[in-house]
Amino acid sequence: MDHKDELLYITPDMVLEAQGNSKGWIYKVDEPLKPSEYASCSSVIGAWKVDSNGLFTGEVILNPKYRTP
């Protein structure tokens, strides 16, 4: 798996999050966060769109400001 594939990979945690957040976006960050913490702009890899059934639509917006750790 090359670097871009790693960035685009949908993790099992993302799938679980999508099931509870239908008709929205799931954001992937490169660092674990506590519920009270916010991600820095440069740690957000991108956003994945979720449909009304909690499934990924295939629409992805990668963050141009993302910087690998």
Side-chain angles (χ1 to χ4, degrees), residues 45-60:
I45 296 168
W48 282 251
K49 191 170 186 177
V50 179
D51 69 14
S52 60
N53 295 311
L55 301 173
F56 291 96
T57 66
E59 187 174 349
V60 178

Side-chain angles (χ1 to χ4, degrees), residues 9-19 26 28 48 56:
Y9 177 71
I10 296 173
T11 66
D13 286 340
M14 290 172 67
V15 172
L16 289 174
E17 188 71 23
Q19 292 170 353
I26 300 299
K28 183 177 182 181
W48 282 251
F56 291 96

Side-chain angles (χ1 to χ4, degrees), residues 17 29 31-40:
E17 188 71 23
V29 296
E31 57 192 38
L33 298 171
K34 296 177 185 171
S36 61
E37 295 180 316
Y38 293 98
S40 66

